[in-house]
Amino acid sequence: MAVAGRLFEKKVLQVLQRVRFQLVQLGGANDGGVDLRGVWALPDNTSIPVIAQCKFTNTACKPAVLRELEGTLLRERAGTLGLIVCAAGCVRALSKVESMFTDAC
């Protein structure tokens, strides 16, 4: 993996730690689509399992990235939160999907 991609993952990890995510950086050729793994420790002492995919590219993330994450989540335990973090943002179609989930919360 390129050094820039690993640095991006590390930066994402640091930002998420500020909001109570307890994650470890995995990444690499055989990461199974998971760059960060751990839990989100909520203030009420519950925790939610989390996986994250970090995409450090010059182009916006496309819907295929969401489909990849969906496939990865199928191999995780029920209730796992999946995050996609794209350095260049996402295309409009993915933004619409994101707003559906955001509006539902």
Side-chain angles (χ1 to χ4, degrees):
M1 172 186 282
V3 173
R6 294 288 290 171
L7 290 174
F8 179 65
E9 290 172 6
K10 186 172 185 143
K11 185 63 175 177
V12 170
L13 174 68
Q14 292 169 344
V15 169
L16 291 173
Q17 285 175 332
R18 293 184 207 151
V19 287
R20 303 179 64 104
F21 282 81
Q22 300 168 353
L23 304 168
V24 293
Q25 184 178 5
L26 303 173
N30 298 312
D31 65 10
V34 179
D35 298 317
L36 306 173
R37 177 184 295 281
V39 297
W40 187 13
L42 301 176
D44 66 357
N45 292 325
T46 60
S47 61
I48 299 171
V50 177
I51 60 170
Q53 291 182 348
C54 302
K55 302 296 183 184
F56 186 75
T57 61
N58 293 327
T59 59
C61 287
K62 295 179 173 56
V65 175
L66 177 60
R67 289 190 293 273
E68 287 175 24
L69 180 63
E70 287 176 323
T72 302
L73 282 168
L74 289 175
R75 297 187 305 268
E76 299 293 323
R77 72 179 204 205
T80 299
L81 173 66
L83 303 175
I84 299 172
V85 184
C86 301
C90 57
V91 296
R92 187 175 187 149
L94 192 55
S95 296
K96 288 180 182 179
V97 172
E98 175 191 22
S99 68
M100 288 177 5
F101 287 106
T102 303
D103 293 344
C105 295

